[in-house]
């Protein structure tokens, strides 16, 4: 406990510096903005703003990118409630009851309650981050290369299978990401791999160009022709219309706490995150409700629980990333990439070698969430007005920002062309319903997995048994194998049911 208090004291001195406060405010403000605007989202924005991490201090860069991440979660509910269009994927479930509340003239109450639920979930999730990270770090100090390799295998399989609609497509994208991560010069042998004689590929593919192309450009293409309508008049949302009734508070309190618990647990597990947490919270509240028919028709519990779960999951998602160096989703992979760009190696050594960074970032989360309360409740009318900005004005500016951002890294037009290539590839994959998030995880974790694999094989003199002889490593591999067996079983059972349904339909005819 004393270690945590000392760490928080150090974090306060870092987080309250002028530059860190500025980047924290900039991050949460930009995050709220992109969350409000459907079609952008925090992931694409973080990818576009990654070039800034080359020019600012490590703490400030991580604080800003993190602020965009959880700020987008706050703002994403605005479009879900007012337009029935989720600002981010994690706030899709908010549409189910948020938009019916808007049609009932209770948009202000819905917006106010989502902000409160988001803050409660984020605050308790932050407490879990600060409380459990040191203990997880103590356990991680006993890890060797075998455990890290096995844990990365488990994380990639879990992320590709559990967080995608098609597990097989998710595994295919992870494999593609691992292959792309091989491009460049092998650090151990100096051999050039998949460079095709191009000197520009000796250093590997540009991570920022890949992230911008895969996430930013496809979103622009997919939403370029979208026309928004039914914008709520900002003048109709007043302080009086926003204040919940006593019954609203009573119905929302327990769902907030339950949703926070669900989100805090799922957020720390690779491959789950806020999306699964929000939908699971909604399902739990509907099952516990005395009158489940209210859900889908403006039940305030249907927005309080999922919003708390979503934001709690976002905070606890930093636990495995900061303490183990294992990102659980694509956003955490980008965070990890930003740290690597700064020369920081996330993992067990982060808290001891750079405690100012770890605790400064953690304390900034609390400051950022307090800023979001100020930004979201008094300025709701401003965000409603921003929803009226037409896409034909917004997206050309974003395209220019992408090109300038990626060019500013190496001052190379070659990287801009890679953005175009990855953009069209990402759009094609989206059309074919391949989710690109597992690809990014594979691309970032691939070189690290290769390094730990080679180190393990060197220590064991080429024996693969080293991965199952160590109990923790064997447990991780066993969990990965169980996930794959479950996938195979579910696939076979689905085919059997489909075959039985066809036979039944043929007999009935």
């Amino acid at each position: 406990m004393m270690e945590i208090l000392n760490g928080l004291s150090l974090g306060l001195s870092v987080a309250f510096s002028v530059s860190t406060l500025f980047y924290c405010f900039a991050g949460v403000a930009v995050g709220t903005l992109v969350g409000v605007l459907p079609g952008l989202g925090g992931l694409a924005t973080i990818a576009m703003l990654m070039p800034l991490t080359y020019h600012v201090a490590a703490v400030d860069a991580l604080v800003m990118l993190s602020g965009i991440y959880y700020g987008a979660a706050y703002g994403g509910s605005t479009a879900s409630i007012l337009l029935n269009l989720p600002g981010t994927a994690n706030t899709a479930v908010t549409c189910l009851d948020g938009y019916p509340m808007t049609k009932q003239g209770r948009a202000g109450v819905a917006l106010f309650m989502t902000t409160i639920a988001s803050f409660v979930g984020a605050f308790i999730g932050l407490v879990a981050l600060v409380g459990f990270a040191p203990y997880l770090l103590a356990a991680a100090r006993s890890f060797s290369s075998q455990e890290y390799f096995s844990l990365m295998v488990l994380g990639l399989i879990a992320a590709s299978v559990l967080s995608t609609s098609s597990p097989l497509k998710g595994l295919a994208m992870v494999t593609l990401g691992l292959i792309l991560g091989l491009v460049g010069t092998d650090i151990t042998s100096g051999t050039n791999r998949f460079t095709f004689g191009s000197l520009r590929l000796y250093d590997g593919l540009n991570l920022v160009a890949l992230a911008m192309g895969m996430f930013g450009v496809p979103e622009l293409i997919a939403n370029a022709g979208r026309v928004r309508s039914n914008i709520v008049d900002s003048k109709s949302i007043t302080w009086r219309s926003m204040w919940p009734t006593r019954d609203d508070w009573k119905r929302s309190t327990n769902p907030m706490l339950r949703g926070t618990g669900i989100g805090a647990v799922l957020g720390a597990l690779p491959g789950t995150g806020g999306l699964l947490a929000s939908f699971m919270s909604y399902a739990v509240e509907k099952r516990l409700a005395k009158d489940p028919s209210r859900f889908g028709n403006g039940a305030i519990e249907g927005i309080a629980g999922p919003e708390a779960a979503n934001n709690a999951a976002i905070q606890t998602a930093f636990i495995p990333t900061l303490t183990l160096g294992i990102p659980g989703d694509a956003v955490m992979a980008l965070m990890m990439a930003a740290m690597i760009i700064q020369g920081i190696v996330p993992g067990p050594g982060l808290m001891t070698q750079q405690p100012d960074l770890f605790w400064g970032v953690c304390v900034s989360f609390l400051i950022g969430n307090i800023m979001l309360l100020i930004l979201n409740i008094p300025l709701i009318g401003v965000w409603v007005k921003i929803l009226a900005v037409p896409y034909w004005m917004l997206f050309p500016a974003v395209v220019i920002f992408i090109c300038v951002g990626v060019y500013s890294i190496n001052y190379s037009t070659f990287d801009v062309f890679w953005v175009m290539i990855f953009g069209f590839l990402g759009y094609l994959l989206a059309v074919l319903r391949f989710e690109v998030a597992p690809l990014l995880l594979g691309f970032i974790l691939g070189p690290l997995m290769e390094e730990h694999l080679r180190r393990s094989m060197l220590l064991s003199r080429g024996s693969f048994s080293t991965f199952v002889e160590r109990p923790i490593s064997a447990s991780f591999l066993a969990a990965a194998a169980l996930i794959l067996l479950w996938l195979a079983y579910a696939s076979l059972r689905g085919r059997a049911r489909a075959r039985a349904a066809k036979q039944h339909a043929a007999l009935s005819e």
Side-chain angles (χ1 to χ4, degrees), residues 57-355:
V59 174
D60 296 339
L62 290 178
V63 165
M64 182 186 67
L65 295 180
S66 302
I68 294 171
Y69 184 28
Y70 56 80
Y74 274 74
S77 59
T78 302
S80 299
I81 292 170
L82 299 181
L83 302 180
N84 203 28
L85 293 173
T88 62
N90 293 357
T91 58
V93 70
T94 308
C95 295
L96 299 179
D97 284 283
Y99 188 63
M101 289 184 68
T102 297
K103 293 193 292 185
Q104 296 167 6
R106 305 190 70 214
V109 174
L111 292 170
F112 182 88
M113 192 55 69
T114 56
T115 302
I116 298 300
S118 297
F119 179 79
V120 171
F123 178 76
I124 299 179
L126 176 60
V127 172
L129 168 62
V130 172
F132 287 104
Y135 298 103
L136 185 60
L137 177 64
R141 285 172 179 162
S142 62
F143 284 12
S144 62
S145 291
Q146 291 91 331
E147 282 77 17
Y148 276 111
F149 174 80
S150 301
L151 182 58
M152 290 180 187
V153 170
L154 173 60
L156 285 179
I157 291 177
S160 60
V161 171
L162 300 179
S163 64
T164 59
S165 56
S166 175
L168 291 178
K169 289 183 177 180
L171 290 173
M173 295 303 289
V174 163
T175 304
L176 178 58
L178 292 173
I179 294 173
L180 293 177
L182 295 175
V183 175
T185 304
D186 180 15
I187 298 177
T188 304
S189 64
T191 304
N192 297 320
R193 303 182 297 192
F194 302 107
T195 59
F196 304 102
S198 175
L199 294 176
R200 297 179 182 273
L201 291 177
Y202 279 16
D203 292 331
L205 295 173
N206 189 312
L207 169 65
V208 178
L210 183 143
M212 285 186 177
M214 285 292 185
F215 294 100
V217 176
E219 290 290 340
L220 296 177
I221 297 174
N223 293 281
R226 178 182 292 177
V227 178
R228 285 171 290 186
S229 58
N230 300 324
I231 303 294
V232 177
D233 185 5
S234 59
K235 295 180 180 179
S236 65
I237 301 178
T238 62
W239 278 102
R240 178 173 294 182
S241 68
M242 289 169 53
W243 193 252
T245 64
R246 182 177 297 180
D247 183 63
D248 290 332
W249 285 110
K250 183 178 179 181
R251 290 180 180 274
S252 302
T253 302
N254 289 332
M256 282 186 203
L257 298 177
R258 284 191 291 263
T260 299
I262 294 171
V265 173
L266 292 182
L269 301 177
T272 55
L275 181 61
L276 181 60
S278 59
F279 275 95
M280 183 172 290
S281 173
Y282 188 86
V284 168
E285 295 309 320
K286 188 173 183 179
R287 181 175 293 272
L288 295 177
K290 296 180 180 179
D291 182 14
S293 63
R294 295 177 55 253
F295 284 76
N297 295 300
I300 199 166
E301 308 96 298
I303 60 174
E307 285 295 321
N310 175 31
N311 286 271
I314 287 174
Q315 300 296 325
T316 56
F318 284 89
I319 294 177
T321 304
L322 295 177
T323 59
L324 301 177
I326 306 297
D329 57 22
V331 177
M332 288 296 103
L334 286 179
M335 295 292 180
M336 183 173 169
M339 287 187 275
I340 294 174
I341 288 172
Q342 293 278 353
I344 301 167
V345 180
L350 179 64
M351 188 181 294
T352 54
Q353 296 173 7
Q354 294 178 297

Side-chain angles (χ1 to χ4, degrees), residues 485-495:
L485 290 174
W486 171 81
L487 170 62
Y489 171 74
S491 177
L492 293 174
R493 187 176 61 176
R495 291 182 180 179

